[in-house]
Amino acid sequence: MATYAIGDLQGCLAPLWRLLEKCAFKPAADQLWFVGDLVNRGPDSLGVLRFVKSLGERAVVVLGNHDLHLLTVAAGYVKAHRGDTLDEILSAPDCAELLTWLRRRPMLHHDQGYTMVHAGLLPNWTIAQAQSLAHEVETALRGPQYLQFLANMYGNQPNSWDEALHGWERLRLITNAFTRLRICTADGEMEYSHKGELADIPVGYIPWYDVPGRRNASETIICGHWSAQGLRLASNLLALDTGCLWGHCLSAVRLEDRTLFQVACDEFSNSSSN
């Protein structure tokens, strides 16, 4: 049995098929971990959802910002953005079934000495604390009042953690950290607008994983979300968004021995990052 952690798909099903072939994926024995953003911007978000859902327990998926965006668009709380490719899902006969499955995915997955989230962890959170906070959001998303959560999910404030936060502000902050975090101050204040390369980070901010004294640094974090950063493999970090959607490549790491597998995504080479 092998476990493969796979970077952001964003509706790119054909590269996923090629990657699984390169990994010699065995559906009866192996497991796939997806870092989130299964959908949007790519050509076959519906196909990706259907395939990953069909894997059952062989697939572990954490929610990304584009996955949450799909749920919020479907609920009618926000309009689709220019460049979104969600219409095929929303008009599919199995749309309700797919969306119910999606909103029941976790925000964080912890197993085999790895912790997987879509974007990152605030540096002042321990792994145990992050697991507990993820459960708060998962409970809101899976419960009967999930539409209220989606209606109050968007916003950039608050942007730093305070245990005294409560209600929608608390859930919004937790969600933003798990699904939008790239950079923050040494004190953990998040900045959401920067999507570029490491060399262009605004003064006063650093990548979340480089914050000195990060309380979750003893665990290996698996994440995606930051395509402009590209692949980063370290003893305690597997950052796997390698810009498949933008014509670069789709990446997977076999967790048992840290072997890297990649396939080119030349069919998307005319896309521009966003």
Side-chain angles (χ1 to χ4, degrees):
M1 173 180 170
T3 305
Y4 299 93
I6 300 175
D8 302 41
L9 292 175
Q10 292 197 240
C12 298
L13 183 58
L16 175 60
W17 285 120
R18 296 198 300 269
L19 183 65
L20 295 183
E21 183 177 2
K22 189 168 187 177
C23 294
F25 171 61
K26 301 177 180 61
D30 298 339
Q31 192 169 61
L32 304 179
W33 289 15
F34 296 94
V35 299
D37 278 3
L38 293 181
V39 303
N40 207 15
R41 307 288 178 83
D44 197 359
S45 292
L46 177 59
V48 168
L49 277 185
R50 285 173 171 168
F51 171 66
V52 176
K53 178 177 178 293
S54 76
L55 291 170
E57 295 183 357
R58 292 298 175 193
V60 175
V61 180
V62 293
L63 289 168
N65 54 299
H66 282 281
D67 306 316
L68 292 175
H69 177 61
L70 167 60
L71 295 173
T72 310
V73 170
Y77 293 123
V78 297
K79 294 182 178 179
H81 300 151
R82 190 179 72 171
D84 283 354
T85 58
L86 303 174
D87 288 348
E88 190 177 11
I89 298 173
L90 299 174
S91 61
D94 53 346
C95 176
E97 180 183 347
L98 290 169
L99 296 186
T100 298
W101 172 83
L102 187 64
R103 70 179 174 87
R104 290 176 177 169
R105 298 310 95 199
M107 300 296 294
L108 176 151
H109 180 69
H110 177 78
D111 193 21
Q112 302 180 43
Y114 293 95
T115 298
M116 181 171 66
V117 294
H118 177 60
L121 295 180
L122 283 175
N124 48 355
W125 288 350
T126 64
I127 296 297
Q129 184 180 13
Q131 289 179 277
S132 177
L133 296 175
H135 182 67
E136 293 184 31
V137 175
E138 292 160 5
T139 299
L141 263 176
R142 298 170 184 177
Q145 306 299 318
Y146 77 93
L147 290 174
Q148 289 182 267
F149 167 75
L150 294 176
N152 290 276
M153 181 182 69
Y154 279 114
N156 292 339
Q157 295 297 327
N159 64 352
S160 58
W161 174 245
D162 185 334
E163 185 59 51
L165 287 170
H166 63 279
W168 301 126
E169 287 194 338
R170 181 181 178 93
L171 293 178
R172 185 184 308 123
L173 182 283
I174 298 167
T175 303
N176 281 340
F178 285 135
T179 64
R180 298 177 64 196
L181 176 63
R182 293 184 181 95
I183 60 174
C184 59
T185 65
D187 295 328
E189 180 180 305
M190 293 184 284
E191 199 280 339
Y192 303 115
S193 63
H194 178 74
K195 301 179 181 181
E197 298 179 1
L198 294 171
D200 300 324
I201 291 176
V203 175
Y205 295 91
I206 52 179
W208 64 270
Y209 50 78
D210 278 341
V211 172
R214 178 165 63 88
R215 296 183 69 196
N216 44 64
S218 61
E219 192 88 14
T220 299
I221 310 298
I222 303 171
C223 62
H225 185 58
W226 196 351
S227 61
Q229 170 187 244
L231 182 72
R232 289 186 69 86
L233 304 180
S235 61
N236 63 354
L237 179 70
L238 304 177
L240 300 177
D241 186 356
T242 47
C244 174
L245 180 64
W246 315 122
H248 301 300
C249 62
L250 182 63
S251 299
V253 170
R254 187 167 57 207
L255 299 185
E256 287 75 15
D257 58 8
R258 300 286 187 103
T259 299
L260 174 67
F261 301 86
Q262 292 184 307
V263 293
C265 301
D266 297 337
E267 62 265 51
F268 309 120
S269 60
N270 292 326
S271 299
S272 58
S273 181
N274 188 353

